Amino acid sequence: MRARHYCADCLTAREHGPSDSGDFACDKCGKAYSARCDTAMDAEGVAQCAFCGGHAFFLQKDFDQRLGCLVMAVSLAIALFVGWRAGWIWFTPVLLASVVVDWIVAARIKPVTICYRCDAEYRDVPVHPRHQGYDPHVAERYAETKTVRRMR
Ligand SMILES: [Zn+2]
Ligand SMILES: [Zn+2]
């Protein structure tokens, strides 16, 4: 398990391992926080946030949108190159094939588990059967304690 904590004041990210427990301080601004990574997991996945104690999490594909655009651009470039060299009849099949490859790659990317309350991110953890995608109604309940990260 890898847990990424975001400082509530300066948003500096810091990675924590499964045995990190105790008091820590932000590398940048020195704001103190505590981590309880050893009790965050239950048998099925992340059950209690190691940093804020929250019980609500959502899942998000750990996939950079910019990377997705780059992959599409590369697919198109390959199809154009093959079309130019081997004949334009190959353009569409090659483009479709590379799009299918992109789908397979995207489907294999594990989702990241994110705490609604403090935005902490958990990777290399099993997907908890209770967790689902981002739900704005659940997020609303945490609006008062929300960090500024998503409001920017
Ligand atoms: Zn900080
Ligand atoms: Zn949290």
Side-chain angles (χ1 to χ4, degrees):
M1 176 253 249
R2 285 184 297 135
R4 182 178 292 174
H5 170 263
Y6 286 96
C7 175
D9 283 355
C10 71
L11 309 177
T12 300
R14 179 157 163 192
E15 295 278 348
H16 288 278
S19 57
D20 278 0
S21 288
D23 294 322
F24 295 87
C26 171
D27 288 333
K28 198 169 173 193
C29 70
K31 185 181 169 69
Y33 64 95
S34 60
R36 300 288 306 160
C37 292
D38 56 342
T39 54
M41 306 278 293
D42 69 6
E44 294 178 301
V46 182
Q48 186 175 27
C49 181
F51 306 105
C52 73
H55 292 275
F57 300 90
F58 63 94
L59 302 169
Q60 201 172 67
K61 281 276 184 197
D62 202 3
F63 191 69
D64 197 326
Q65 291 294 325
R66 285 165 303 178
L67 189 68
C69 288
L70 183 71
V71 168
M72 282 303 288
V74 169
S75 301
L76 189 62
I78 291 169
L80 283 169
F81 181 77
V82 171
W84 172 57
R85 295 300 299 234
W88 292 105
I89 195 153
W90 290 103
F91 176 78
T92 306
V94 169
L95 188 62
L96 286 177
S98 57
V99 166
V100 168
V101 169
D102 295 345
W103 274 343
I104 294 166
V105 170
R108 288 173 66 94
I109 292 170
K110 285 236 187 96
V112 56
T113 303
I114 303 172
C115 174
Y116 272 110
R117 199 193 279 174
C118 75
D119 289 339
E121 296 168 1
Y122 298 86
R123 291 182 171 80
D124 295 342
V125 293
V127 171
H128 201 293
R130 279 210 315 271
H131 297 165
Q132 285 169 354
Y134 184 76
D135 182 346
H137 297 292
V138 178
E140 228 165 62
R141 279 191 261 151
Y142 295 95
E144 287 152 44
T145 52
K146 198 94 190 96
T147 62
V148 291
R149 186 153 80 102
R150 280 209 186 75
M151 297 181 196
R152 288 202 299 183

